[in-house]
């Protein structure tokens, strides 16, 4: 008896979830929402031959389908997300170790030169370390400047890609609207 009750309760819960997940029925075309399709396209449609709202809504639906099939464009579909350019490895904003590596390399070279030139490896190492640190700092600044320039170039490319996508979407909408308008005019409507 307990298993049967649990089974029935489970089935009712599953049916309730399935019913809740069904999409709501499409709104009926009434005079209140007639012409809403053309308005969503940014067009004004006037029934030049005394068509009623129901007829206009039916004609708009048929012309929408016809224009969609002729142009291959669905203006109600959400646009694809803009493509993200590949991100280059970002240079760290802080120290990158160039000064330390330069100082170490300079000290080693300075010690060798100091030993050969004046038999004072310590003095040569100190001079080499300072020179190496300065060279490493210059390299670090150069790396940061290159990373910043690359980031700016990527930002400009992304902005251009977004502008091109927006222009393409506008062109597709205009093409679709021409087809939709031609169909509606053939059915006796004035379209602006």
């Amino acid at each position: 008896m307990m298993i049967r009750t649990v089974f029935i309760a489970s089935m009712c819960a599953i049916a309730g979830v399935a019913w809740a997940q069904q999409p709501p029925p499409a709104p009926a075309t009434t005079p209140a929402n007639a012409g809403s399709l053309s308005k969503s396209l940014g067009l004004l449609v006037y029934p030049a031959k005394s068509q009623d709202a129901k007829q206009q809504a039916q004609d708009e639906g048929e012309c929408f389908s016809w224009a969609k099939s002729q142009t291959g464009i669905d203006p109600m579909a959400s646009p694809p997300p803009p493509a993200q350019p590949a991100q280059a490895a970002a240079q760290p904003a802080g120290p990158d170790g160039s000064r330390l590596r330069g100082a170490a390399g300079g000290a080693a070279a300075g010690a060798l030169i100091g030993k050969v030139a004046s038999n004072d490896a310590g003095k040569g190492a100190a001079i080499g370390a300072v020179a190496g640190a300065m060279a490493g700092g210059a390299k670090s600044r150069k790396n940061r400047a290159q990373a910043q320039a690359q980031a700016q170039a990527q930002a400009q490319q992304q902005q251009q890609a977004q502008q091109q996508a927006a222009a393409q979407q506008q062109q597709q909408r205009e093409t679709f609207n021409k087809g939709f308008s031609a169909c509606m005019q053939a059915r006796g409507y004035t379209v602006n």
Side-chain angles (χ1 to χ4, degrees):
M1 178 77 166
M2 180 74 143
I3 294 175
R4 178 192 247 173
T5 305
V6 171
F7 177 73
I8 292 172
S10 298
M11 295 308 288
C12 289
I14 291 171
V17 169
W19 179 77
Q21 291 179 349
Q22 291 179 349
T29 304
T30 63
N33 67 4
S36 62
L37 184 58
S38 59
K39 288 178 187 173
S40 68
L41 296 172
L43 298 172
L44 299 174
V45 176
Y46 178 75
K49 295 183 179 178
S50 301
Q51 298 94 328
D52 63 5
K54 184 176 180 181
Q55 181 63 46
Q56 181 177 345
Q58 180 181 348
D59 288 340
E60 285 186 7
E62 290 172 2
C63 285
F64 182 90
S65 295
W66 180 84
K68 183 178 169 184
S69 70
Q70 294 298 308
T71 63
I73 299 168
D74 184 358
M76 299 302 177
S78 50
Q84 295 294 328
Q87 294 291 331
Q91 293 291 329
D96 62 359
S98 295
R99 286 181 186 252
L100 183 60
R101 285 190 301 274
L112 182 62
I113 293 171
K115 179 72 174 164
V116 170
S118 64
N119 276 342
D120 190 355
K123 186 175 181 182
I127 294 170
V130 170
M134 291 176 61
K139 183 176 180 181
S140 177
R141 286 188 296 277
K142 180 181 175 186
N143 289 344
R144 279 195 298 263
Q146 286 176 340
Q148 186 178 19
Q150 187 176 17
Q152 288 175 345
Q154 286 178 344
Q156 287 176 344
Q157 288 174 345
Q158 186 174 10
Q159 184 180 15
Q160 288 174 348
Q162 289 172 346
Q163 289 172 347
Q164 288 174 346
Q168 184 179 13
Q169 287 174 346
Q170 180 63 28
Q171 184 180 15
Q172 287 180 344
R173 186 173 202 97
E174 289 172 3
T175 300
F176 180 87
N177 284 354
K178 285 179 185 177
F180 179 82
S181 297
C183 179
M184 290 298 286
Q185 288 170 349
R187 292 173 183 239
Y189 294 89
T190 302
V191 182
N192 287 323

